[in-house]
Amino acid sequence: MPRRSSPVAAVLAGRGGQYLHLVGHSFGCRLLCEAVQWAAGEQDLTLGWSTPRPPGRPFTVDSMLLLQMAAPRDAFAATFTALGGAPLRGPVVATYSQADRATGFWHLRAEKRAGIGYAGIGTAPSPVSGIRMLDPDKAYPHSALDHRFVSVDASNVYIHGNGPAGAHSDHLRPESAHLLLSLADHSR
């Protein structure tokens, strides 16, 4: 069975450098979730997360960060059910903000229910942990992120936005980078 080598220190890399962290925004989150489900026939590795490694899968995704996901709150229980297990080794982390009108007001009109980016992950194949987004100078404890599904309330951070989408694209912030880098750090 192929073994994945240890990543080069402090470098996020794929082939040969072996940690894979996926990041998506809005409808791109749906694309990532669908892609990971389709990759269910692929492999996985040894990481810092407590979720057991799926047998025979030495290459998987180490974490998935979904920023302001445009999907119904039950998307993980109804559509992306395979994310409850392989080929995802680490957590599925989704941010949300009450100031996101694209996944709140507009999503409610289009899909008859609020989206994950507005109200967080609703139901999923396994329990959903809820935390608040932290400032870059505050560390995320491993225990806060070490769950299959983590819903991150960014309502105090993602607040700015002009036009009908509200704060939907207010995720380009140091707090978002801090969350991603924390996921990467806890994977090691």
Side-chain angles (χ1 to χ4, degrees), residues 92-182:
V92 175
V93 179
T95 64
Y96 69 95
S97 171
Q98 297 287 299
D100 183 341
R101 290 180 47 87
T103 60
F105 179 84
W106 296 110
H107 200 272
L108 184 60
R109 271 121 197 99
E111 298 201 28
K112 307 298 183 239
R113 50 201 161 155
I116 291 172
Y118 175 78
I121 300 170
T123 56
S126 56
V128 178
S129 176
I131 64 172
R132 293 191 64 80
M133 181 167 267
L134 298 179
D135 291 330
D137 62 344
K138 294 185 178 139
Y140 284 97
H142 185 271
S143 60
L145 297 171
D146 192 15
H147 304 274
R148 171 55 69 212
F149 295 95
V150 181
S151 198
V152 180
D153 183 353
S155 295
N156 62 330
V157 179
Y158 302 164
I159 55 175
H160 300 292
N162 295 321
H168 184 64
S169 293
D170 192 25
H171 61 280
L172 300 175
R173 302 179 148 275
E175 293 87 351
S176 302
H178 174 52
L179 179 56
L180 174 61
L181 293 173
S182 295

Side-chain angles (χ1 to χ4, degrees), residues 15-40:
R15 189 176 194 172
Q18 303 310 46
Y19 282 108
L20 179 60
H21 301 278
L22 301 179
V23 182
H25 173 254
S26 192
F27 284 104
C29 298
R30 285 186 179 192
L31 175 71
L32 284 178
C33 291
E34 193 65 40
V36 171
Q37 284 197 145
W38 276 92

